[in-house]
Every structure is written in C-alpha cells, then in structure tokens.
Amino acid sequence: MLKVLVLGSAAGGGSPQWNCNSRVSQTVRNGKVGTSPRTQSSIAVTANGEDWVLFNASPDLGSQILNNKQMHPNRGLRHSPISSVVLTNGDVDHVAGLLTLRERQNLSLYAHKRVHSVLKENSIFNVLNPDYVDRRELQMNEKFEIKSKEGKGVDIEIEAFEVPGKIALWLEDESKGINFGTEEGDTIGLKIHSSNEDKSFFYIPACAKMTDKLANRIRGSKVILFDGTLWKNDEMASTKVGEKTGQRMGHMNNSGDDGSMRAFEDLDVKRKIFIHINTTNPILLGDSEERKIVEGNGWEVSYDGMEIEI
Ligand code: MLT
Ligand code: MN
C-alpha cells in the first residue's frame, strides 16, 4: 500500500483565513453547502498502515492530529504513529507545526540544508531536543529510505529535487535584489515511493514555474499533488486583499497560458490534484465556474481528510 492522508489542503493562512472577508473566506465561514474549512498545508503518508511520515508541519498540526484518528497515539502511554517529518521549504505554514511536535518524542526530521540552517538560527526550535529529534539533511536527486530516529525503515523512500520557487516570506531580504536572497533548495519537490511495491507519487506544494526538467521528471506519472495556490496571478489585487502576484510569492497560477493546467496538458499525468490552495482561490467553492473549469480539465481539488490510495 501507499496511502496519502491530506491533513491540510489550504495555503498559508488557511481557509477561511482569520482576518479575511473575501468571497471564499466568507462563504466558508457561513457554512454554505459545498464549501468546507481547510487547514494549512500538510500531508501524511504510510506504506505499511502503521508508520506515518509527515510532509510539512503546519501551524494547525494539533487540530489535524486530533481530527484524524490515524494520527492518534495507539501503543502505550507515550506514542505517535508519526515517525518522521520531511519539509519542502521554510514557510511558516510548513515549519510552525514543528513546535507542536515537542514533548520528548523520537522523530527524524529531514530538510534541505538551507531550511535546517534557518531552524538552527531560530532558537525557539531548540524545543526539538536533539536527544529525541534527529535533524537529517536531504540530499537532492537521490532516492533514499526514510528511517525513524532509531534507524528503523518505514517502507517509504523519497527523492527530493529543487523546483523554481522563493525563499520563505519571513526570510526575504530586499537588499539582495529581485529574488530577495532566494537560493537553490529553498523550495523542493518530492517523489514519494513505497519501498516494497512499484508505487509512487509526486508532492510539489510550491512551484513558481514549469521547467523542461520538471516536466520530464513528472511526465507519465500516476498521481501528483501540485501547487494550487492561486487561480490567477493577480488574484490578490483583483480580490482587493493584497498586491502581491503569484509570481512574487513563488507560485504558479492554475489558469491561463502560463498556468499549471496548461503546463500539464501534454504530460499524461493520470491523477492531478491541487493542494496548498489560497483562500482567495474560487476553486475552493464547490459551485464556482472556476471549479467546473479545473474539473473539466481533469484536476481534483484536495480537501482536509482526503485519502488517496496510490
Ligand atoms: C506561501 O506559500 O507563499 C507562504 O506560505 C506565504 C506565507 O508564509 O504566508
Ligand atoms: Mn505556503
């Protein structure tokens, strides 16, 4: 088996976002049929039904664990089925949940060295006591087995690779020019495999551009969970909640000639699922035109609690 549980399908801020009254946030908050709240970006994966690997640790992790019984302790007084955590970047929506994982629990924590150095510089993450949490550097373009803190395999292998993106918002440095100090490895994608079966899928919650290299990598794949942040590049401005474009934030839009739906058109990916979706994106509304368009193009819109059997 290779099973994905979507813990959080929304982008940073969640949906509804606490301070937002745009169309989607308001509709979700009012509980309209066909809409549902979404927490911030994270998935859990198992290949044996017992050990789970968390991909990104969302600020909502506490409630995500509570709301998904697969994540509950089930062996003895102190236990968690979460053996390891893998980070795809240093965004708040992907690292703040690490603070929820304190309390003397053995974990292995995998991230690119850029992200590890940021965690190291921020002493609040010292709550992840090194006696219990083993920080391991992710090598790029190399398939390897995820292991628990104690060195036990969990039947999952991953391959990490750099994708076009941006340094985390809270680390942007304007003095470093138009890319704010972004370097290779600030945003990565993952191919996640079962060690025992020929099953795999891609998880790429942030991606600024489809390159030939990335297209060749994912061509013909069975399942992909891909950056669904915005419907269009100027969505923050057109919904009057901000000015930043998707490109400025390191995210491809879903629609348009430069969008992900077009980029995937000839890639023969069997199951395409949007994840990390911003609360301004109308595809979150079950009855929107935009939802019809993405579904008409063969895309699914992930939701919290969604289970995907690879
Ligand atoms: C993003 O994906 O653009 C970030 O999560 C934004 C943020 O940190 O709020
Ligand atoms: Mn994010």
Side-chain angles (χ1 to χ4, degrees):
M1 69 153 73
L2 186 60
K3 216 182 215 178
V4 184
L5 172 64
V6 175
L7 295 178
S9 48
S15 179
Q17 182 175 304
W18 71 281
N19 62 346
C20 185
N21 245 332
S22 75
R23 177 174 160 223
V24 177
S25 275
Q26 200 170 66
T27 309
V28 176
R29 201 175 281 120
N30 290 339
K32 186 164 182 270
V33 177
T35 67
S36 60
R38 284 173 167 83
T39 60
Q40 296 167 81
S41 187
S42 173
I43 62 170
V45 180
T46 186
N48 59 22
E50 218 170 81
D51 303 296
W52 289 81
V53 178
L54 202 60
F55 291 88
N56 292 319
S58 150
D60 302 316
L61 185 56
S63 61
Q64 291 170 344
I65 291 173
L66 188 62
N67 292 335
N68 291 280
K69 64 177 186 321
Q70 302 93 316
M71 300 292 109
H72 294 178
N74 57 48
R75 271 186 258 150
L77 274 178
R78 279 289 169 99
H79 167 256
S80 170
I82 300 169
S83 80
S84 316
V85 184
V86 183
L87 305 175
T88 62
N89 62 23
D91 278 348
V92 170
D93 54 347
H94 289 164
V95 303
L98 292 174
L99 303 177
T100 301
L101 297 174
R102 60 196 190 282
E103 320 294 8
R104 300 157 70 99
Q105 181 66 37
N106 278 349
L107 288 169
S108 51
L109 173 61
Y110 293 86
H112 191 278
K113 64 174 184 298
R114 291 270 295 164
V115 175
H116 273 310
S117 72
V118 161
L119 299 178
K120 201 168 158 210
E121 277 161 33
N122 281 270
S123 49
I124 193 165
F125 291 105
N126 292 346
V127 292
L128 300 176
N129 180 339
D131 289 345
Y132 300 95
V133 180
D134 199 8
R135 302 187 190 196
R136 300 176 183 164
E137 190 178 316
L138 273 180
Q139 302 303 325
M140 297 295 107
N141 304 302
E142 217 173 79
K143 190 168 157 188
F144 69 95
E145 192 183 7
I146 298 275
K147 294 209 166 126
S148 71
K149 161 80 164 50
E150 302 86 349
K152 181 180 154 284
V154 294
D155 302 315
I156 290 175
E157 293 173 328
I158 63 170
E159 209 176 324
F161 48 89
E162 285 131 347
V163 295
K166 191 183 67 63
I167 194 166
L169 176 62
W170 58 285
L171 295 167
E172 287 183 3
D173 181 350
E174 287 194 4
S175 73
K176 291 196 171 152
I178 51 162
N179 70 6
F180 306 97
T182 299
E183 285 182 25
E184 284 267 288
D186 281 333
T187 308
I188 63 165
L190 297 166
K191 187 172 187 184
I192 300 165
H193 306 253
S194 155
S195 307
N196 310 319
E197 289 169 286
D198 183 21
K199 289 185 174 176
S200 63
F201 71 100
F202 284 92
Y203 174 54
I204 310 177
C207 182
K209 195 171 167 229
M210 180 63 71
T211 59
D212 289 346
K213 202 170 165 189
L214 180 58
N216 290 333
R217 199 187 272 279
I218 62 181
R219 193 184 308 278
S221 58
K222 200 168 166 197
V223 179
I224 188 162
L225 281 82
F226 193 77
D227 185 342
T229 310
L230 300 173
W231 170 249
K232 54 181 186 156
N233 191 40
D234 67 353
E235 181 171 307
M236 304 288 284
S238 65
T239 54
K240 299 191 172 62
V241 300
E243 287 128 35
K244 280 189 193 164
T245 61
Q247 279 304 301
R248 168 67 185 79
M249 297 189 287
H251 297 292
M252 267 175 101
N253 24 284
N254 317 146
S255 65
D257 286 342
D258 57 353
S260 40
M261 287 192 292
R262 178 64 50 80
F264 274 78
E265 249 170 29
D266 300 319
L267 295 184
D268 188 32
V269 177
K270 314 293 178 295
R271 210 170 157 195
K272 298 168 289 193
I273 304 167
F274 281 129
I275 198 155
H276 188 281
I277 309 164
N278 199 55
T279 195
T280 49
N281 191 332
I283 67 170
L284 290 178
L285 301 178
D287 60 356
S288 68
E289 259 319 292
E290 293 83 353
R291 170 71 74 89
K292 273 196 213 117
I293 295 171
V294 296
E295 289 179 349
N297 277 282
W299 283 81
E300 295 169 60
V301 177
S302 65
Y303 50 88
D304 289 18
M306 181 182 194
E307 292 183 56
I308 303 157
E309 189 85 49
I310 308 295

mmCIF file of all heavy atoms in Angstrom, residues 103-126:
data_model
loop_
_atom_site.group_PDB
_atom_site.id
_atom_site.type_symbol
_atom_site.label_atom_id
_atom_site.label_comp_id
_atom_site.label_asym_id
_atom_site.label_seq_id
_atom_site.Cartn_x
_atom_site.Cartn_y
_atom_site.Cartn_z
ATOM 1 N N GLU A 103 7.748 17.723 23.358
ATOM 2 C CA GLU A 103 7.281 16.742 24.366
ATOM 3 C C GLU A 103 8.000 15.403 24.257
ATOM 4 O O GLU A 103 7.392 14.349 24.322
ATOM 5 C CB GLU A 103 5.749 16.499 24.317
ATOM 6 C CG GLU A 103 4.852 17.691 24.091
ATOM 7 C CD GLU A 103 4.860 18.706 25.228
ATOM 8 O OE1 GLU A 103 5.694 18.561 26.137
ATOM 9 O OE2 GLU A 103 4.048 19.649 25.152
ATOM 10 N N ARG A 104 9.301 15.445 24.066
ATOM 11 C CA ARG A 104 10.130 14.244 24.196
ATOM 12 C C ARG A 104 9.620 13.057 23.377
ATOM 13 O O ARG A 104 9.389 11.972 23.907
ATOM 14 C CB ARG A 104 10.233 13.859 25.672
ATOM 15 C CG ARG A 104 10.854 14.950 26.524
ATOM 16 C CD ARG A 104 10.473 14.825 27.981
ATOM 17 N NE ARG A 104 11.091 13.671 28.601
ATOM 18 C CZ ARG A 104 12.187 13.707 29.354
ATOM 19 N NH1 ARG A 104 12.780 14.860 29.585
ATOM 20 N NH2 ARG A 104 12.684 12.623 29.880
ATOM 21 N N GLN A 105 9.448 13.287 22.101
ATOM 22 C CA GLN A 105 9.014 12.205 21.213
ATOM 23 C C GLN A 105 10.100 11.981 20.162
ATOM 24 O O GLN A 105 10.530 12.938 19.512
ATOM 25 C CB GLN A 105 7.693 12.612 20.534
ATOM 26 C CG GLN A 105 7.112 11.563 19.609
ATOM 27 C CD GLN A 105 6.672 10.310 20.347
ATOM 28 O OE1 GLN A 105 6.153 10.390 21.457
ATOM 29 N NE2 GLN A 105 6.910 9.158 19.748
ATOM 30 N N ASN A 106 10.514 10.749 19.994
ATOM 31 C CA ASN A 106 11.540 10.462 18.993
ATOM 32 C C ASN A 106 11.031 10.744 17.584
ATOM 33 O O ASN A 106 9.949 10.278 17.201
ATOM 34 C CB ASN A 106 11.959 8.987 19.073
ATOM 35 C CG ASN A 106 12.971 8.766 20.169
ATOM 36 O OD1 ASN A 106 13.518 9.723 20.724
ATOM 37 N ND2 ASN A 106 13.239 7.500 20.475
ATOM 38 N N LEU A 107 11.808 11.479 16.824
ATOM 39 C CA LEU A 107 11.440 11.811 15.441
ATOM 40 C C LEU A 107 12.706 11.973 14.624
ATOM 41 O O LEU A 107 13.731 12.408 15.145
ATOM 42 C CB LEU A 107 10.715 13.163 15.383
ATOM 43 C CG LEU A 107 9.295 13.282 15.901
ATOM 44 C CD1 LEU A 107 8.930 14.767 15.973
ATOM 45 C CD2 LEU A 107 8.309 12.555 14.981
ATOM 46 N N SER A 108 12.607 11.692 13.333
ATOM 47 C CA SER A 108 13.682 12.098 12.422
ATOM 48 C C SER A 108 13.120 13.233 11.572
ATOM 49 O O SER A 108 11.980 13.171 11.118
ATOM 50 C CB SER A 108 14.140 10.916 11.565
ATOM 51 O OG SER A 108 13.035 10.301 10.948
ATOM 52 N N LEU A 109 13.932 14.268 11.385
ATOM 53 C CA LEU A 109 13.471 15.464 10.682
ATOM 54 C C LEU A 109 14.361 15.709 9.468
ATOM 55 O O LEU A 109 15.556 15.967 9.610
ATOM 56 C CB LEU A 109 13.530 16.668 11.637
ATOM 57 C CG LEU A 109 13.233 18.043 11.033
ATOM 58 C CD1 LEU A 109 11.820 18.097 10.469
ATOM 59 C CD2 LEU A 109 13.401 19.133 12.093
ATOM 60 N N TYR A 110 13.764 15.594 8.296
ATOM 61 C CA TYR A 110 14.518 15.743 7.051
ATOM 62 C C TYR A 110 14.203 17.083 6.397
ATOM 63 O O TYR A 110 13.030 17.453 6.250
ATOM 64 C CB TYR A 110 14.120 14.653 6.057
ATOM 65 C CG TYR A 110 14.513 13.250 6.469
ATOM 66 C CD1 TYR A 110 13.685 12.486 7.301
ATOM 67 C CD2 TYR A 110 15.699 12.683 6.009
ATOM 68 C CE1 TYR A 110 14.032 11.186 7.658
ATOM 69 C CE2 TYR A 110 16.051 11.383 6.371
ATOM 70 C CZ TYR A 110 15.214 10.648 7.186
ATOM 71 O OH TYR A 110 15.568 9.374 7.536
ATOM 72 N N ALA A 111 15.247 17.798 5.968
ATOM 73 C CA ALA A 111 15.051 19.048 5.237
ATOM 74 C C ALA A 111 16.314 19.375 4.455
ATOM 75 O O ALA A 111 17.397 18.839 4.742
ATOM 76 C CB ALA A 111 14.723 20.191 6.199
ATOM 77 N N HIS A 112 16.164 20.252 3.494
ATOM 78 C CA HIS A 112 17.321 20.767 2.758
ATOM 79 C C HIS A 112 18.206 21.535 3.745
ATOM 80 O O HIS A 112 17.707 22.102 4.721
ATOM 81 C CB HIS A 112 16.836 21.689 1.644
ATOM 82 C CG HIS A 112 17.904 22.078 0.669
ATOM 83 N ND1 HIS A 112 18.804 23.093 0.915
ATOM 84 C CD2 HIS A 112 18.231 21.585 -0.553
ATOM 85 C CE1 HIS A 112 19.629 23.213 -0.116
ATOM 86 N NE2 HIS A 112 19.304 22.307 -1.026
ATOM 87 N N LYS A 113 19.504 21.600 3.467
ATOM 88 C CA LYS A 113 20.396 22.276 4.426
ATOM 89 C C LYS A 113 20.048 23.747 4.602
ATOM 90 O O LYS A 113 20.253 24.320 5.669
ATOM 91 C CB LYS A 113 21.863 22.072 4.060
ATOM 92 C CG LYS A 113 22.339 22.664 2.762
ATOM 93 C CD LYS A 113 23.861 22.468 2.687
ATOM 94 C CE LYS A 113 24.508 23.092 1.466
ATOM 95 N NZ LYS A 113 24.072 22.579 0.156
ATOM 96 N N ARG A 114 19.467 24.369 3.567
ATOM 97 C CA ARG A 114 19.039 25.771 3.696
ATOM 98 C C ARG A 114 17.968 25.894 4.788
ATOM 99 O O ARG A 114 17.971 26.815 5.585
ATOM 100 C CB ARG A 114 18.448 26.275 2.368
ATOM 101 C CG ARG A 114 19.460 26.424 1.261
ATOM 102 C CD ARG A 114 20.089 27.795 1.240
ATOM 103 N NE ARG A 114 19.148 28.861 0.934
ATOM 104 C CZ ARG A 114 19.397 30.150 1.149
ATOM 105 N NH1 ARG A 114 20.547 30.522 1.682
ATOM 106 N NH2 ARG A 114 18.503 31.062 0.831
ATOM 107 N N VAL A 115 17.040 24.964 4.791
ATOM 108 C CA VAL A 115 15.949 25.015 5.777
ATOM 109 C C VAL A 115 16.475 24.638 7.167
ATOM 110 O O VAL A 115 16.152 25.290 8.161
ATOM 111 C CB VAL A 115 14.763 24.110 5.334
ATOM 112 C CG1 VAL A 115 13.677 24.067 6.402
ATOM 113 C CG2 VAL A 115 14.190 24.615 4.004
ATOM 114 N N HIS A 116 17.340 23.628 7.217
ATOM 115 C CA HIS A 116 17.931 23.272 8.511
ATOM 116 C C HIS A 116 18.674 24.457 9.127
ATOM 117 O O HIS A 116 18.617 24.684 10.329
ATOM 118 C CB HIS A 116 18.908 22.101 8.367
ATOM 119 C CG HIS A 116 18.245 20.765 8.470
ATOM 120 N ND1 HIS A 116 17.389 20.429 9.502
ATOM 121 C CD2 HIS A 116 18.296 19.667 7.666
ATOM 122 C CE1 HIS A 116 16.967 19.197 9.343
ATOM 123 N NE2 HIS A 116 17.488 18.716 8.232
ATOM 124 N N SER A 117 19.371 25.237 8.278
ATOM 125 C CA SER A 117 20.158 26.331 8.864
ATOM 126 C C SER A 117 19.231 27.401 9.436
ATOM 127 O O SER A 117 19.535 28.022 10.452
ATOM 128 C CB SER A 117 21.161 26.903 7.847
ATOM 129 O OG SER A 117 20.491 27.645 6.877
ATOM 130 N N VAL A 118 18.096 27.590 8.814
ATOM 131 C CA VAL A 118 17.124 28.553 9.325
ATOM 132 C C VAL A 118 16.536 28.080 10.666
ATOM 133 O O VAL A 118 16.375 28.855 11.605
ATOM 134 C CB VAL A 118 15.992 28.708 8.277
ATOM 135 C CG1 VAL A 118 14.752 29.289 8.883
ATOM 136 C CG2 VAL A 118 16.482 29.544 7.115
ATOM 137 N N LEU A 119 16.253 26.790 10.751
ATOM 138 C CA LEU A 119 15.716 26.244 12.007
ATOM 139 C C LEU A 119 16.757 26.373 13.122
ATOM 140 O O LEU A 119 16.429 26.665 14.274
ATOM 141 C CB LEU A 119 15.324 24.775 11.842
ATOM 142 C CG LEU A 119 14.237 24.468 10.797
ATOM 143 C CD1 LEU A 119 13.993 22.967 10.727
ATOM 144 C CD2 LEU A 119 12.929 25.200 11.114
ATOM 145 N N LYS A 120 18.014 26.193 12.740
ATOM 146 C CA LYS A 120 19.095 26.258 13.706
ATOM 147 C C LYS A 120 19.267 27.680 14.245
ATOM 148 O O LYS A 120 19.530 27.899 15.434
ATOM 149 C CB LYS A 120 20.384 25.786 13.036
ATOM 150 C CG LYS A 120 21.432 25.326 13.989
ATOM 151 C CD LYS A 120 22.545 24.611 13.247
ATOM 152 C CE LYS A 120 23.798 24.639 14.109
ATOM 153 N NZ LYS A 120 25.010 24.635 13.310
ATOM 154 N N GLU A 121 19.093 28.649 13.330
ATOM 155 C CA GLU A 121 19.263 30.050 13.735
ATOM 156 C C GLU A 121 18.131 30.534 14.641
ATOM 157 O O GLU A 121 18.277 31.543 15.327
ATOM 158 C CB GLU A 121 19.292 30.952 12.508
ATOM 159 C CG GLU A 121 20.648 31.027 11.846
ATOM 160 C CD GLU A 121 20.557 31.533 10.422
ATOM 161 O OE1 GLU A 121 19.672 32.370 10.138
ATOM 162 O OE2 GLU A 121 21.356 31.064 9.589
ATOM 163 N N ASN A 122 16.995 29.862 14.581
ATOM 164 C CA ASN A 122 15.847 30.290 15.382
ATOM 165 C C ASN A 122 15.742 29.423 16.626
ATOM 166 O O ASN A 122 15.246 28.303 16.576
ATOM 167 C CB ASN A 122 14.571 30.187 14.543
ATOM 168 C CG ASN A 122 14.464 31.372 13.618
ATOM 169 O OD1 ASN A 122 13.884 32.379 13.990
ATOM 170 N ND2 ASN A 122 15.062 31.263 12.444
ATOM 171 N N SER A 123 16.159 29.998 17.747
ATOM 172 C CA SER A 123 16.339 29.154 18.923
ATOM 173 C C SER A 123 15.028 28.578 19.458
ATOM 174 O O SER A 123 15.048 27.618 20.228
ATOM 175 C CB SER A 123 17.087 29.920 20.015
ATOM 176 O OG SER A 123 16.485 31.176 20.206
ATOM 177 N N ILE A 124 13.888 29.120 19.035
ATOM 178 C CA ILE A 124 12.621 28.525 19.516
ATOM 179 C C ILE A 124 12.525 27.051 19.089
ATOM 180 O O ILE A 124 11.925 26.228 19.784
ATOM 181 C CB ILE A 124 11.394 29.347 19.047
ATOM 182 C CG1 ILE A 124 10.149 28.915 19.812
ATOM 183 C CG2 ILE A 124 11.167 29.229 17.547
ATOM 184 C CD1 ILE A 124 8.977 29.870 19.703
ATOM 185 N N PHE A 125 13.179 26.714 17.967
ATOM 186 C CA PHE A 125 13.121 25.320 17.517
ATOM 187 C C PHE A 125 14.007 24.398 18.361
ATOM 188 O O PHE A 125 14.005 23.188 18.168
ATOM 189 C CB PHE A 125 13.461 25.221 16.025
ATOM 190 C CG PHE A 125 12.392 25.830 15.160
ATOM 191 C CD1 PHE A 125 12.576 27.064 14.556
ATOM 192 C CD2 PHE A 125 11.180 25.185 14.980
ATOM 193 C CE1 PHE A 125 11.586 27.637 13.780
ATOM 194 C CE2 PHE A 125 10.172 25.746 14.207
ATOM 195 C CZ PHE A 125 10.378 26.986 13.610
ATOM 196 N N ASN A 126 14.745 24.992 19.308
ATOM 197 C CA ASN A 126 15.504 24.148 20.243
ATOM 198 C C ASN A 126 14.584 23.321 21.132
ATOM 199 O O ASN A 126 15.046 22.413 21.820
ATOM 200 C CB ASN A 126 16.427 24.998 21.125
ATOM 201 C CG ASN A 126 17.551 25.617 20.311
ATOM 202 O OD1 ASN A 126 17.778 25.216 19.170
ATOM 203 N ND2 ASN A 126 18.231 26.598 20.877
#
